[in-house]
Amino acid sequence: MRRIQPRRSPAVPLILLSWAGAAAVLSLWWQNTPNVEGTAQWLTHAGRLSGLLGGYVLALVVLQMARVPALERRVGSDRVARWHAMSGRYALCLIVAHVGLIIAGYAEQAGTGFVDQSVTVVTDYPDMIKATAGTAMLVVIGLISAGMVRRRMSYEVWYYLHLLTYAAVFLTFWHQLATGAEFVGNKTAETAWYALYGTVTALAVWYRLLVPLRLNLRHRMRVAAVVPEAPGVVSVLIKGRKLHRIGAQAGQFFRWRFLAPGMRWGSHPYSLSAPPRPELLRITVKAVGGHSTGLASLQPGTRVWAEGPYGAMTAARRSQGKVLMIAGGAGITPIRALFETLPGKGSDLTLLYRARSVGDLALWSELKQIATERGARLLYAVNGPDGARPEITAERLGHLLPDIEDHDVYLCGPPGLAEHAYGALREAGVPDRRIHHESFEL
């Protein structure tokens, strides 16, 4: 099965900028590193370099946690999340290498053991007790984010433990300036480091705390009603003040927190399943876990806390006149909103909905009405009576749309379906840049 490869073009400048920052850090180390002689110096200088790079990547980790709208909408929330996970792994490896190499180098130079030197560094060097606590936190966060451990934890426990990253960064920051040879006596480097961490801290405070606070105080959202749509699928209608001024678009999602017993501590991403109205938003959710299952029991009037909108799978991604939308399961929610709002005429719009059975086609009556009003094509593929799954292949897609290579494609569904459909689309000649997909797997 061919894995989905993210579009590269919108992210290339950001990736180059990140590498330029790493090159600047390497240059800072190079300018402050004399000739290296002997095992102790090799170990120590390697530890300095890994520490500098680890500190730089850790700042990128915080930036990727900040939910900056320009970054999330240009690149896509799913790709930013993948960058965050990858950067976190690199940062942890570099920091662990920094600790091991520095202590080994100092121990070699002093002629002491590794353990004795560790105690000396922690107790005698400035800000090292805080740095040790922060490093321990980062190791714990790295362990709980590993796949095997993460799958055994509830999302809420993982999420709140993951927030310790902020505390860990704060604790490890100060020793970098107090003991780093690149910063002691170098006001330019010190100011640049403060500017780097100050900027990402300001972005995190603004977009993770102040912007959501302003949004929720301004719009005061509450549950208006809960409507069953299909087996295990409900729509939650959310009322509020001037909701159209939030600036949400079809295809985007919010992170929702419902202030009801047993649910107030969980914040989960759900897409809008209808275009925003002045006084009403709607999400449609399939019960796959504790939080999504609990939505069916929400009572009208329940307070709602939302963060967003996020996501880049909007009409702005469209580059062609013709559009194919492929949805599977709960992936119909953003696709349904796009189906109603994407500019286009008649048969230039095609929606293919994959589900287990006809009864699982959530929002089907709405989709039929939209298709009738717009003259669009609406198709579905469900399992046969014997459970046989209709495969989405390049041949079938080409038969459905002979000019499929001239279409933009919006794709949303379970990972298996999305990856299989992506491979079929690429085989059918659809360029990667015209396949628009976001995954909200956590």
Side-chain angles (χ1 to χ4, degrees):
M1 182 180 294
R2 186 171 184 172
R3 292 191 61 81
I4 295 178
Q5 299 297 320
R7 296 179 308 277
R8 292 174 174 79
S9 54
V12 167
L14 297 172
I15 295 172
L16 292 177
L17 184 62
S18 298
W19 280 109
V25 170
L26 180 61
S27 174
L28 177 64
W29 170 83
W30 182 263
Q31 292 172 6
N32 288 273
T33 302
N35 293 331
V36 181
E37 298 178 355
T39 301
Q41 288 192 14
W42 276 106
L43 290 170
T44 302
H45 289 300
R48 284 173 45 215
L49 177 58
S50 59
L52 279 171
L53 289 173
Y56 170 70
V57 177
L58 203 55
L60 295 184
V61 168
V62 176
L63 175 63
Q64 293 153 3
M65 291 176 70
R67 297 176 185 167
V68 179
L71 180 62
E72 300 231 347
R73 293 173 188 174
R74 178 176 175 81
V75 177
S77 297
D78 58 338
R79 203 184 327 177
V80 174
R82 288 195 294 270
W83 285 0
H84 170 69
M86 179 180 64
S87 298
R89 289 191 290 269
Y90 286 152
L92 182 59
C93 290
L94 286 166
I95 290 169
V96 170
H98 163 68
V99 172
L101 289 168
I102 284 289
I103 293 177
Y106 288 174
E108 177 72 17
Q109 185 175 7
T112 60
F114 188 89
V115 174
D116 290 339
Q117 188 62 46
S118 298
V119 173
T120 299
V121 168
V122 171
T123 56
D124 293 350
Y125 284 61
D127 293 313
M128 280 307 303
I129 293 178
K130 290 188 292 187
T132 301
T135 301
M137 286 184 183
L138 290 174
V139 171
V140 170
I141 293 165
L143 291 174
I144 67 170
S145 297
M148 290 182 61
V149 179
R150 169 67 187 90
R151 286 190 288 270
R152 295 176 180 271
M153 300 178 67
S154 71
Y155 171 75
E156 288 75 17
V157 171
W158 173 84
Y159 175 80
Y160 285 107
L161 287 175
H162 205 70
L163 290 180
L164 289 175
T165 301
Y166 294 118
V169 172
F170 175 80
L171 291 171
T172 57
F173 172 76
W174 303 104
H175 92 286
Q176 300 174 52
L177 299 177
T179 62
E182 289 73 21
F183 302 111
V184 176
N186 188 340
K187 288 297 181 182
T188 301
E190 181 180 301
T191 300
W193 211 248
Y194 270 119
L196 172 65
Y197 272 81
T199 299
V200 297
T201 299
L203 289 171
V205 170
W206 180 255
Y207 288 112
R208 292 297 299 265
L209 180 62
L210 299 181
V211 168
L213 181 62
R214 182 182 63 177
L215 181 150
N216 287 279
L217 290 177
R218 175 181 296 177
H219 298 288
R220 299 184 180 277
M221 288 175 275
R222 293 181 180 271
V223 173
V226 178
V227 180
E229 301 286 2
V233 178
V234 298
S235 286
V236 181
L237 306 181
I238 298 164
K239 62 183 180 180
R241 300 187 301 185
K242 300 178 181 179
L243 297 179
H244 59 298
R245 294 189 177 178
I246 294 177
Q249 303 176 53
Q252 292 189 305
F253 68 96
F254 289 77
R255 298 178 187 273
W256 302 94
R257 187 188 306 275
F258 297 93
L259 305 186
M263 300 186 69
R264 64 180 68 248
W265 298 110
S267 174
H268 290 249
Y270 300 125
S271 298
L272 297 176
S273 61
R277 311 297 185 194
E279 307 294 336
L280 194 70
L281 299 176
R282 188 183 75 172
I283 58 174
T284 301
V285 181
K286 184 175 182 178
V288 294
H291 189 274
S292 54
T293 300
L295 297 181
S297 61
L298 286 174
Q299 297 299 311
T302 300
R303 290 288 302 273
V304 180
W305 183 274
E307 298 176 42
Y310 302 119
M313 197 175 68
T314 66
R317 291 294 188 191
R318 182 178 180 180
S319 62
Q320 301 296 303
K322 298 181 179 181
V323 176
L324 167 65
M325 287 164 272
I326 301 176
I332 191 60
T333 53
I335 296 297
R336 181 257 179 254
L338 287 166
F339 193 46
E340 180 178 349
T341 58
L342 271 178
K345 50 183 181 177
S347 59
D348 287 349
L349 297 176
T350 302
L351 171 57
L352 174 60
Y353 189 175
R354 174 75 176 87
R356 292 182 180 178
S357 66
V358 172
D360 290 320
L361 295 170
L363 307 174
W364 185 249
S365 60
E366 294 183 16
L367 295 169
K368 288 197 297 183
Q369 182 178 351
I370 294 169
T372 300
E373 292 175 353
R374 305 197 64 184
R377 303 175 66 188
L378 176 62
L379 308 168
Y380 67 84
V382 298
N383 295 355
D386 58 351
R389 296 166 54 88
E391 298 293 341
I392 297 176
T393 64
E395 292 76 17
R396 289 184 178 180
L397 291 172
H399 178 74
L400 173 66
L401 298 169
D403 59 347
I404 189 171
E405 66 277 4
D406 297 326
H407 283 64
D408 271 295
V409 180
Y410 288 83
L411 171 63
C412 192
L417 170 70
E419 291 174 1
H420 190 94
Y422 174 86
L425 289 164
R426 295 291 289 119
E427 187 179 344
V430 181
D432 179 76
R433 66 182 181 277
R434 294 196 203 133
I435 302 175
H436 314 300
H437 168 266
E438 280 187 313
S439 170
F440 310 127
E441 295 295 306
L442 298 172

